[in-house]
Amino acid sequence: QVTLVESGGGLVQAGDSLRLDCATSEGTFGRYAVAWFRQVPVKEREFVAALNWNTMIYGDSVQDRFAISRDTTKNTVFLQMNNLKPEDSAVYSCAAGFEIDRRPTEYKYWGPGTQVTVSS
């Protein structure tokens, strides 16, 4: 069983930066890829970024603005979000799965999510 808990969401202005944290169970990094997804009401969940032990991938809409990283000593994955735009507003969730992938169906464990709101 893997537990994930997101933190760091909030209300910011366009152009600001924000960092989200995903605290995971000990040992997660050795067995699972960890990804960030986001979702707004009435829309499908959107892939943001993911990493495993040697690979990082990004969604097209965040490629040059967001960065995913991890601290293995703290069992935490970070999502650094720069130059935020109103369209980045969503609930951001982290997830763990056996393979790194852009599809949410490939991730078995999910955190509850954290709200990010970007005002114009």
Side-chain angles (χ1 to χ4, degrees):
Q1 185 71 21
V2 176
T3 59
L4 306 105
V5 179
E6 305 90 344
S7 62
L11 173 63
V12 297
Q13 293 186 332
D16 285 352
S17 296
L18 196 64
R19 193 188 81 180
L20 304 182
D21 295 0
C22 173
T24 71
S25 305
E26 186 172 353
T28 297
F29 295 148
R31 299 182 63 188
Y32 299 96
V34 178
W36 285 97
F37 289 85
R38 65 187 184 186
Q39 189 169 26
V40 297
V42 305
K43 287 190 176 181
E44 292 185 354
R45 193 167 274 166
E46 179 186 5
F47 172 75
V48 176
L51 59 71
N52 63 7
W53 70 279
N54 69 344
T55 302
M56 291 182 285
I57 57 175
Y58 292 92
D60 292 341
S61 63
V62 305
Q63 177 73 44
D64 297 321
R65 298 184 295 122
F66 291 10
I68 190 171
S69 62
R70 67 184 180 190
D71 184 335
T72 56
T73 64
K74 298 180 179 179
N75 299 307
T76 302
V77 174
F78 307 105
L79 183 68
Q80 178 66 43
M81 305 185 294
N82 299 321
N83 190 23
L84 282 161
K85 304 175 182 181
E87 52 264 43
D88 293 318
S89 297
V91 174
Y92 285 72
S93 300
C94 59
F98 289 112
E99 300 292 336
I100 191 169
D101 203 289
R102 298 172 183 270
R103 297 169 293 178
T105 53
E106 297 304 301
Y107 292 86
K108 183 176 181 180
Y109 303 102
W110 290 82
T114 186
Q115 177 71 47
V116 172
T117 303
V118 184
S119 64
S120 58

